[in-house]
Amino acid sequence: MTIHTLAGQLSPDSALVDVNQLIAAYYQQIPDAQVAAQRVAFGTSGHRGSSFQTSFNEHHVLAITQAICEYRQQQGISGPLFLGIDTHALSEPARISAIEVLAANGVNVMLSVGDEYTPTPAVSLAILMYNRGRHTVNGIEQNTGLADGIVITPSHNPPDNGGFKYNAINGGPADTACTDWIGKRANELMATNLQGVQRMLLERALHADTTHRYDFMNTYVSELEQIIDLAAIRQSGIRLGVDPLGGAGVHYWGRIAEKYQIDLTVVSDIVDPTFRFMPLDWDGKIRMDPSSPYAMRRLLDIQADFDIAFACDTDHDRHGIVTPGAGLMTPDHYLAVAIDYLFQHRPAWGSTPGIGKTVVSSRMIEHVSKRLGRKLYDMPVGFKWFAPGLFDGSLGFGGEESAGASFVRMDGSAWTTDKDGIVAALLAGEIKAKTGRDPGQLYEQLTQEFGKPVSIRVEAPATPAQKKALSKLSPKQITSKLLAGDTITDILTTAPGNMTAIGGVKVITNNGWFAARPSGTEEIYKIYAESFKGEQHLHEIVAEAQGIVDLALT
């Protein structure tokens, strides 16, 4: 992976996205449903693309929204639909398009009060709170009257991207069967030049009897004390710092600090669709990734001002944790600490809830889970695989290596079934307040107990055809018996937690592993690797993994 010469620095003005041109392209460019790159395609969490590339345009949004309306009717989902957006430039025009279709289809849509930006977890929470107690009638499970949601966001992706995801009645990202149906129907609508799409003018839609306002922010903030011990944070007096990275939770943090009287400083409340304030990521692109040391440079420069500092991505479903000693924690390191802490400090959870991780997360989590005596569910990449368990209580915690996690309330009931960067960040403060040690220090304690792994994630460009080839990798294509000198003990193409395809391959030894899979949101592939034998061994694993990927892509 070649690091761009400007990584960690601000972008030159000349390289910033032209927002006016981007929005113009959203309306002017018409996607061709026969061209693969221009079709609706739901990745690990929604459809994403750029209007410049004709992969996220008005026709996409109109068609997807109509398909969702038809899916709701087919499934008997007749409750309100909660609609949220982030701060990307394409989110507002996409919101307008969606409202016009939802209103024309008679869907009761819930928009944020004052058109406030809406983090993904606030939408998930709203769905779950509305649906609480509504899932059964006379003991019979049914969908009538239940709510679902749409979040318009491309997550941490660059400023020229737009994104559109559907959250199901369980509050989490819709499952593959659902998104496959929606995607197929949306492409059919695009292929017929949107025949069958119902739509009304925005002014009429906003004043329709089915369009309502909902206070996402105050509802979310008022519930926080049910999942985080904010009293302990307040009483400890620890200094917290947060960088919202110009994202949807930008105004939530001040409200949290005010309501719960905690020492929380918002280091920047700038919202700018060019994201000119963001240091460039490893490849020279602006990317609001709180797990990247390059994108987090601004917060890292002032980390000494706080006991704990953190950031969230643009829709606030991912977190980045910074401590004075460890700096920016690797996501897996923090997940291991969070799991170890939560399952020892939430007595009301009981002994039933298990732990969810992805197949590309650290083996450290396996060690912690075993010591805790908790069942571990090893799942494919994508938070949708954790949503059912977080909803029904079989999972107490679900987390991804890409810094996305959620967990249940203190009483063991569901909180959010989509990723929640806000509570993951605030948990770091609770950990410091209750234990006297920050997550970085607690991770070092874990390494003394289980060994000190080193890990890396390598990313490289890949065409759609190359990504498809990589996702079809078979164990038969890996003929070697050794990986970096160690005997290969397992080759996985399905996740042990649910026997679902992982969209790539994972090769395991007693001392390390690697996994290779295409990104579900960008035109890149990723190699994840971990070693318990040190940096040199890790480099050997990565080199051999790249050789395998190169063969698959040729």
Side-chain angles (χ1 to χ4, degrees), residues 387-404:
L390 289 168
F391 178 75
D392 66 20
S394 58
L395 288 180
F397 183 97
E400 295 186 306
E401 81 300 330
S402 56

Side-chain angles (χ1 to χ4, degrees), residues 62 188 195 214 219 275 305 341 358 363 366 374 454 472 479 482 484 518 548:
L62 295 173
E188 290 172 353
Q195 290 183 30
Y214 182 81
T219 301
F275 292 91
D305 295 345
Y341 172 84
T358 62
R363 189 174 288 174
E366 298 175 25
R374 296 285 175 164
V454 288
K472 300 294 185 181
T479 57
L482 300 175
I548 292 170

Side-chain angles (χ1 to χ4, degrees), residues 322-498:
V322 176
T323 70
L328 177 62
M329 294 187 70
T330 300
D332 273 344
H333 295 183
Y334 179 62
L335 294 184
V337 171
I339 290 166
D340 196 38
Y341 172 84
L342 283 167
F343 282 87
Q344 296 183 72
H345 290 80
R346 296 294 189 268
W349 287 8
S351 59
T352 300
I355 296 163
K357 67 176 278 292
T358 62
V359 293
V360 294
S361 294
S362 175
R363 189 174 288 174
M364 180 67 82
I365 296 173
E366 298 175 25
H367 294 318
V368 170
S369 301
K370 185 176 181 180
R371 198 237 296 127
L372 290 168
R374 296 285 175 164
K375 185 172 182 179
L376 180 68
Y377 297 85
D378 219 2
M379 298 293 204
V381 173
F383 210 79
K384 60 190 174 187
W385 305 112
F386 300 131
L390 289 168
F391 178 75
D392 66 20
S394 58
L395 288 180
F397 183 97
E400 295 186 306
E401 81 300 330
S402 56
S406 190
F407 44 97
V408 296
R409 296 171 185 249
M410 291 182 185
D411 66 3
S413 62
W415 168 251
T416 63
T417 48
D418 208 334
K419 299 186 291 287
D420 190 336
I422 298 174
V423 298
L426 288 171
L427 179 65
E430 179 188 329
I431 291 171
K432 171 69 173 177
K434 296 290 283 288
T435 70
R437 289 172 289 178
D438 66 47
Q441 294 167 323
L442 291 176
Y443 182 74
E444 284 303 310
Q445 183 175 311
L446 290 178
T447 65
Q448 293 171 21
E449 185 177 357
F450 300 115
K452 192 169 188 175
V454 288
S455 62
I456 193 171
R457 186 179 75 188
V458 178
E459 301 176 352
T463 66
Q466 289 174 325
K467 289 171 62 177
K468 184 177 181 179
L470 182 56
S471 70
K472 300 294 185 181
L473 260 179
S474 162
K476 295 179 180 179
Q477 293 173 258
I478 302 173
T479 57
S480 175
K481 303 297 182 183
L482 300 175
L483 175 65
D486 294 324
T487 300
I488 293 174
T489 59
D490 214 346
I491 300 174
L492 303 179
T493 55
T494 58
N498 60 2

